[in-house]
Amino acid sequence: VHQSKLDFFCKLGYGKQDICKVLESLGQEALEDDVLKELIRMGSKPQALESQVQPSLLKLVARGSCSTTLGSKWLGEDESDSSNYLRPIVIDGSNVAMSHGNKEIFSCWGIQLAVDWFRERGHTYIKVFVPLWRKEPSRQDSPIADQHILEELEKQSILVYTPSRKVKGKRVVCYDDRYIVKVAYEKDGVIVSNDHYRDLQNENPEWKWFIEQRLLMYSFVSNRFMPPDDPLGRHGPTLNNFLSKMPVLPEPKWQPCPYGKKCTYGNKCKFYHPERPHQAQLSVADELRAKTKVPISLGKEEDKRNFSP
């Protein structure tokens, strides 16, 4: 168990010393999620990411700005420069086709729409997995529309048929979901599907984390393929960062103070105050003197006179 967890986190790029420390503190039977959280809490970063971070990209943030962002967002170069910065795409063909066909027809046009969407973004590695028996002519119990699209995608080396055969008149089909998850895991890519693959999550703990973090869901709106702008939730990475190997850290945003001009925290307030030019670091007493236009020096001279003999 210790060796398997050590190999798993070494593949993610973490150092062996950090992994051993965490396993000693949490115990050998700790879950992968707990170990990963502890590694992040310790400040340990994958070695590949540490080499990519440039010191010139690190910026000082002024007080009063909310520089902390939820979710895992890493520093890196812009993915628009080259297709090498984009993740490989593995599409669950059956799920996409049935979703486009309203779960009644296997619509091959839906697969074409998904492939075209990723092509326009610049992805070069796109694979679609479909069971081999979908080559058979359309039947009443399993209707297929635009079947010629599968042949065109196969010629372009995009579509891959998973094996299936007939034994004594019964169709024997290999589990295509396992092909999809395995290829996406080996290529460190993204799975395009609305399926959660819960059976495969329970089968392999390494796949469990991968499916949770790399599953891209989608919708079809008027024959338009539309993945969400926040694939992992509101506080997760954006779609561009999710599909990129080296996500870009967004610029820090100033969050206004909820109390506005009624705020009494003064220079201790961590929020932005538009009424304070350049976020002046003044104490509450200094702000009150400035508002009443009473110089600080005059106040001190009056105190000296009152206490003089």
Side-chain angles (χ1 to χ4, degrees):
V1 175
H2 175 80
Q3 188 63 33
S4 63
K5 290 181 179 178
L6 186 64
D7 296 339
F8 172 64
F9 286 102
C10 284
K11 288 181 181 178
L12 297 180
Y14 291 98
K16 290 186 177 180
Q17 295 181 353
D18 296 339
I19 300 170
C20 292
K21 288 180 181 179
V22 174
L23 290 177
E24 287 178 1
S25 60
L26 297 180
Q28 303 297 332
E29 297 181 357
L31 299 176
E32 281 79 3
D33 294 344
D34 297 336
V35 177
L36 185 61
K37 290 178 182 177
E38 186 66 20
L39 286 170
I40 295 173
R41 192 189 65 80
M42 289 174 57
S44 178
K45 294 182 179 179
Q47 296 175 0
L49 297 177
E50 288 179 352
S51 62
Q52 293 167 6
V53 177
Q54 300 178 1
S56 60
L57 295 175
L58 301 176
K59 298 179 182 179
L60 292 176
V61 181
R63 288 185 64 183
S65 64
C66 291
S67 59
T68 57
T69 55
L70 296 174
S72 58
K73 300 179 181 179
W74 304 324
L75 294 175
E77 299 179 10
D78 189 4
E79 70 271 14
S80 61
D81 295 340
S82 173
S83 61
N84 294 330
Y85 302 134
L86 298 175
R87 293 193 182 278
I89 303 298
V90 181
I91 301 175
D92 188 345
S94 299
N95 187 274
V96 172
M98 294 301 295
S99 178
H100 185 259
N102 249 351
K103 297 182 180 180
E104 297 177 356
I105 302 174
F106 190 91
S107 177
C108 302
W109 190 24
I111 299 176
Q112 186 68 59
L113 292 173
V115 171
D116 292 341
W117 190 88
F118 288 105
R119 272 178 173 172
E120 291 175 0
R121 291 195 80 258
H123 294 267
T124 55
Y125 187 93
I126 303 173
K127 293 295 179 185
V128 181
F129 285 90
V130 172
L132 183 62
W133 64 271
R134 288 295 181 181
K135 274 188 171 183
E136 300 175 2
S138 178
R139 298 184 305 177
Q140 188 174 1
D141 58 341
S142 60
I144 302 176
D146 302 316
Q147 200 169 8
H148 64 280
I149 293 177
L150 300 181
E151 299 176 2
E152 296 174 1
L153 293 176
E154 186 182 14
K155 292 177 182 178
Q156 299 170 15
S157 300
I158 294 178
L159 187 135
V160 178
Y161 287 105
T162 57
S164 66
R165 59 188 177 123
K166 284 188 176 181
V167 178
K168 296 180 180 180
K170 293 183 179 181
R171 185 185 291 118
V172 179
V173 182
C174 296
Y175 196 26
D176 58 338
D177 289 354
R178 189 172 281 108
Y179 275 92
I180 294 166
V181 176
K182 186 175 182 180
V183 172
Y185 177 76
E186 291 176 354
K187 290 290 184 179
D188 194 23
V190 172
I191 303 172
V192 181
S193 177
N194 285 336
D195 190 359
H196 297 286
Y197 305 104
R198 289 190 176 90
D199 53 341
L200 296 178
Q201 291 188 36
N202 298 328
E203 180 180 315
N204 192 330
E206 295 181 3
W207 289 359
K208 182 180 186 298
W209 179 89
F210 182 81
I211 292 170
E212 290 175 350
Q213 301 297 323
R214 295 290 177 80
L215 183 65
L216 178 63
M217 307 187 81
Y218 62 90
S219 296
F220 281 104
V221 182
S222 300
N223 292 326
R224 182 184 174 191
F225 179 79
M226 293 185 65
D229 293 332
D230 47 357
L232 298 182
R234 292 178 58 187
H235 303 297
T238 61
L239 182 61
N240 290 333
N241 284 349
F242 183 79
L243 296 175
S244 175
K245 293 181 181 178
M246 291 177 285
V248 180
L249 187 68
E251 291 292 331
K253 295 182 180 179
W254 292 77
Q255 184 175 351
C257 181
Y259 299 103
K261 295 182 179 180
K262 296 181 180 180
C263 177
T264 58
Y265 286 96
N267 61 341
K268 293 183 180 180
C269 183
K270 63 179 181 179
F271 296 104
Y272 172 66
H273 287 266
E275 69 275 6
R276 300 177 187 174
H278 308 293
Q279 195 71 10
Q281 302 298 324
L282 297 176
S283 63
V284 178
D286 293 339
E287 287 182 358
L288 292 174
R289 290 192 184 98
K291 287 180 181 179
T292 55
K293 297 182 181 180
V294 177
I296 301 174
S297 59
L298 291 178
K300 291 181 179 179
E301 289 179 359
E302 291 177 357
D303 294 340
K304 290 181 180 179
R305 290 174 184 175
N306 293 334
F307 287 100
S308 59

